[in-house]
Amino acid sequence: MITPRDAADAVTYLVAAGATTARDAQGPVWADYLNDQVPGGPDTGELRPACRAAIRAWQDAGRAWQINVEHLAQAIRKGRSERIRAEEDAHGPLRPAGLDREPDTANRWLVAARRAIGTGHDRADAERLAWQAIGRQPPPPEIAMDNLVGPEKARAVLAAIAARKGIPR
């Protein structure tokens, strides 16, 4: 979510670029619109890159119109979409481990992770934030012990768990 001051700064940037005209109370109106039309509201850090993207689109269109608040909202949404696509292309789709049988929770996790990626977080931070958003911890990694059964497997599993938690043997 952005403040009216954040939105006014974006408007000032666009006015200085000659891409729009300033009006009274533009900051509060733009903040209200952007917070409503951008899912979860934009982050302050998204505004400047969105202004630059909107100016490029405006320039490419031959400057036949002024940039308005919807143009800026579109630039923010497009920037988020591009960051998510680039992350998933580079590292595979975002998937919450251990939530296969809980589709609603998995969807909430995915929405939170994509929002974090879209606003500029790296994958590790995005996954951490997604687990926080659903109020859970990620499941521990699976421990695979080759050819062990019975008491030997139990001892090996307990030793592996103790080693991860720093518990002396």
Side-chain angles (χ1 to χ4, degrees), residues 89-161:
D89 286 349
H91 301 104
L94 291 158
R95 289 208 173 95
L99 296 178
D100 297 335
R101 295 187 175 140
E102 301 176 63
D104 291 340
T105 305
N107 189 49
R108 285 193 349 237
W109 185 96
L110 187 58
V111 167
R114 283 187 173 159
R115 171 157 168 54
I117 294 288
T119 58
H121 292 275
D122 65 18
R123 191 177 196 112
D125 280 344
E127 290 178 353
R128 181 183 53 77
L129 291 168
W131 285 108
Q132 286 177 352
I134 64 168
R136 300 222 190 138
Q137 295 291 323
E142 291 186 22
I143 300 171
M145 300 293 156
D146 295 331
N147 300 324
L148 297 177
V149 294
E152 293 83 18
K153 183 171 185 170
R155 278 193 283 282
V157 168
L158 290 173
I161 291 170

Side-chain angles (χ1 to χ4, degrees), residues 1-2 34-36 38-44 46-47 76 80 115:
M1 300 296 253
I2 60 168
L34 292 171
N35 287 331
D36 182 66
V38 174
D43 289 346
T44 304
E46 292 181 283
L47 292 177
I76 293 168
R80 285 183 179 185
R115 171 157 168 54

Side-chain angles (χ1 to χ4, degrees), residues 30-108:
W30 281 45
D32 176 68
Y33 187 87
L34 292 171
N35 287 331
D36 182 66
Q37 293 298 308
V38 174
D43 289 346
T44 304
E46 292 181 283
L47 292 177
R48 188 63 56 93
C51 285
R52 289 190 292 266
I55 290 169
R56 281 190 303 275
W58 172 68
Q59 176 66 35
D60 292 345
R63 299 180 178 196
W65 38 268
Q66 286 192 349
I67 295 175
N68 64 31
V69 68
E70 178 55 26
H71 295 121
L72 193 57
Q74 288 172 5
I76 293 168
R77 291 189 297 262
K78 183 179 179 190
R80 285 183 179 185
S81 176
E82 288 171 352
R83 283 188 288 278
I84 292 165
R85 188 176 314 110
E87 171 60 32
E88 289 187 333
D89 286 349
H91 301 104
L94 291 158
R95 289 208 173 95
L99 296 178
D100 297 335
R101 295 187 175 140
E102 301 176 63
D104 291 340
T105 305
N107 189 49
R108 285 193 349 237

